[in-house]
Amino acid sequence: MMSGTSMAAPHIAGIAALIKQKHPHWSPAAIKSALLTTSTKLDRAGRPLQAQQYSDTEAMKLVAATPFDYGSGHVNPRSALDPGLIFDAGYEDYIGFLCTTPGIDVHEIRNYTNTPCNYTMGHPSNFNTPSITISHLVKTQTVTRTVTNVAEEETYVITARMQPAVAIEANPPAMTLRPGASRKFTVSLTVRSVTGAYSFGEILMKGSRGHQVRIPVVAMGYWR
């Protein structure tokens, strides 16, 4: 009631229905990707989004928001209808995510899905979501993402930025995709210092035809 998520849910559902109407063959993951990657971290006045914070006395104040507050940001329905790139995922990807998650019983997965485990994902952090979170980053970890072009041929320049405690690098620095083509890219995160707090950043993909794709990155570094 206080945060407003009860009204966010029907708004998002309605916008998702509009996207499905325009792109009837898109998967749920593709629709979700379009909503997330085209969102903004700014409010209507062009200022960074803020979050409510409550003290022990229950006094409320506004502080700078993080991805833990706004996720990917404030949805832009017009941009979501034409995202340029999508991070798609299907049934096999979800099975792969479950199979590579520590502590999951592979026999239970087979019992419930009638599908043998698929380990090609390698690590659950490689699940093709339009966000990257490494809750226990030790030394360096590299994750893989795949984007699919849902627009005309376009060249994207990829940049990455992160708070100082964690170094970030995206490869390749640029890619050109034809309509319907998919390309993989990697993101490497390296611990610089251990702060005991999460570090926030983002991957930004700017297209030569004006599309802009952004995904949030979150990591907490440990020495071991």
Side-chain angles (χ1 to χ4, degrees), residues 3-85:
S3 65
T5 51
S6 58
M7 280 311 298
H11 278 89
I12 293 299
I15 298 167
L18 290 175
I19 297 174
K20 185 68 173 178
Q21 184 180 40
K22 183 177 180 180
H23 305 285
H25 300 297
W26 278 17
S27 68
I31 294 172
K32 176 181 177 181
S33 173
L35 288 166
L36 298 182
T37 60
T38 58
S39 61
T40 177
K41 299 189 297 180
L42 304 177
D43 63 19
R44 290 181 180 178
R47 297 170 301 204
L49 292 174
Q50 293 184 304
Q52 296 175 343
Q53 186 178 84
Y54 292 86
S55 65
D56 294 336
T57 61
E58 296 191 4
M60 190 273 286
K61 65 177 180 178
L62 294 176
V63 298
T66 74
F68 287 155
D69 300 303
Y70 53 67
S72 285
H74 195 279
V75 170
N76 183 329
R78 187 183 299 275
S79 296
L81 289 169
D82 179 26
L85 300 175

Side-chain angles (χ1 to χ4, degrees), residues 148-168:
T148 301
N149 186 12
V150 292
E152 298 299 317
E153 180 172 324
E154 193 163 3
T155 298
Y156 286 85
V157 175
I158 306 175
T159 57
R161 55 190 177 194
M162 199 79 182
Q163 290 177 327
V166 175
I168 187 170

